[in-house]
Each structure stands twice: as structure tokens, then as C-alpha cells.
Amino acid sequence: MHNLDAVDARILLALDNAPEASLIEIAARLGVSRNTVHARLKRLRDGGALGTPSAPLSPAAIGRPLLAFVTLSVSQQQIDSVYAAIGAIPEVIEAHTTTGDADLMLRVVARDTVDLHRITQGIQMAPGVQRSSTSIATTEVIPHRMSLLLHRLAENDS
């Protein structure tokens, strides 16, 4: 994955501030060429620095307002089966291996608590899952953000 520099940070911040802006508008605002903006965004996408266009979509917008975090303890001998099973559950929108008491941390969205129960039952039935724990998110205090880090990077241009 490519490390971002100050120009990349400024381009991304410009897109944050005006998501509908054209490449020409962003280039003019930043004082760089349109080709520079285009090439850098392409490199960031191709290199995996930028996620899929649907990533910032709010789950509530598709009828899944409830967010929960599910931790799993799993049999390491069946880890590939666990990955396949949880990967097949659409409501599991993110999964990470972790250190500590749990092996995996899942980010799960649901319509309501009844729907969450259905989803967690499916997760617990996955071959290799030994134990799970679910915590329901109640209030988002700090939304996912990268802008503060991008500002810091953009300021290091001098």
C-alpha cells in the first residue's frame, strides 16, 4: 500500500469538503494539474488506500440502524471455515483478527434486536466458533474519521 503524502492528503480533504467537485475544480482549488489529481486518485484506488464507494454508506440508509460488535473465540484448526461462514453473512460488514481474549471482532448491522438475535445465532452456528459475546452500540460519539490525520499530513507539506 502506498503511503500518502501532503498532496494526496490535500486532494482527499478537498473531496471531503466538496464530494461532487470535478477533478478540474479540485485541481484549481489546490493549484495542481487535473492530471495530477486524476493520477493520484487512481494510484490510491489501485493501491488499496481508498476503499469501495459503498464503504461510507450509512447502514441505517439500507434499513440496518442497529450496530453491534461481536467478539468470537474460535478453533484455530477451523479458522478458514469460520472466515468463510462469517463472510457469507451480509450483515457482518467488517471483521478483524484481534489479540486478547477474543480471536475475531465483527462489526454487525441489523434492523432491530430480533434481527440481531437471528444474525448472532447464525454466527454462533458457524463451524469452529466456540464462544461469542455481543455488545450493542448505543451512541456514536466519534464517527469514523480520517480528516484530522489528513490535515496533519497536509500541513507537513513545507
Side-chain angles (χ1 to χ4, degrees):
M1 183 176 296
H2 172 75
N3 285 331
L4 275 68
D5 63 17
V7 175
D8 295 328
R10 290 174 50 223
I11 290 169
L12 293 172
L13 287 167
L15 281 170
D16 273 357
N17 292 332
E20 300 300 320
S22 69
L23 296 181
I24 294 170
E25 293 169 320
I26 292 170
R29 196 172 302 142
L30 300 178
V32 298
S33 75
R34 183 203 64 83
N35 285 343
T36 296
V37 174
H38 179 265
R40 284 175 174 260
L41 286 173
K42 180 175 179 1
R43 186 187 71 232
L44 292 172
R45 279 189 205 96
D46 292 349
L50 293 178
T52 60
S54 66
L57 180 68
S58 167
I62 55 172
R64 304 296 190 285
L66 188 125
L67 171 64
F69 298 96
V70 178
T71 57
L72 301 179
S73 295
V74 301
S75 165
Q76 295 303 309
Q77 291 77 25
Q78 293 181 286
I79 195 71
D80 290 336
S81 296
V82 174
Y83 292 164
I86 63 173
I89 301 170
E91 294 87 356
V92 176
I93 60 171
E94 198 171 341
H96 300 270
T97 59
T98 59
T99 61
D101 293 335
D103 298 308
L104 291 169
M105 168 78 76
L106 312 180
R107 188 170 171 212
V108 175
V109 294
R111 290 183 181 94
D112 52 33
T113 55
V114 172
D115 192 37
L116 178 62
H117 179 73
R118 173 191 62 80
I119 296 162
T120 57
Q121 290 298 303
I123 292 168
Q124 291 169 351
M125 297 303 293
V129 171
Q130 297 172 333
R131 188 174 53 258
S132 71
S133 176
T134 302
S135 297
I136 296 174
T138 57
T139 305
E140 183 177 68
V141 180
I142 300 172
H144 179 80
R145 63 181 185 186
M146 295 300 294
S147 60
L148 295 178
L149 291 169
L150 287 172
H151 278 290
R152 182 179 291 165
L153 180 59
E155 291 167 2
N156 289 333
D157 193 19
S158 24

